[in-house]
Amino acid sequence: MIYLLALVVLVVLAVLLWKAFGPDTSTPPAGRVLGPDDDPEFLWRMSRKARPSSGDSPDGGPKDPPD
């Protein structure tokens, strides 16, 4: 019985030490990563590819990079 009590105390002590001195997870990552569905330029290029083009676009958006 004493061994079981010692094991419980050791586990509780290990958890408390891990919480006190373990890796810091309270701070979020430094920068925000934009996925392709959040990137306005990517969305503009996808809509541009979906439309049939007949010359330059009158909307004045960014130019498509050469492939």
Side-chain angles (χ1 to χ4, degrees):
M1 182 66 177
I2 192 82
Y3 294 116
L4 184 61
L5 183 61
L7 179 65
V8 169
V9 169
L10 283 175
V11 169
V12 169
L13 186 62
V15 169
L16 289 176
L17 287 173
W18 178 261
K19 292 287 186 178
F21 300 109
D24 185 24
T25 59
S26 63
T27 58
R32 179 172 175 243
V33 178
L34 285 178
D37 57 341
D38 292 336
D39 186 9
E41 186 176 335
F42 174 80
L43 293 173
W44 182 84
R45 280 184 282 154
M46 292 306 292
S47 68
R48 175 89 185 247
K49 287 179 182 178
R51 287 184 281 166
S53 68
S54 59
D56 286 336
S57 175
D59 60 358
K63 302 292 182 204
D64 284 336
D67 291 332

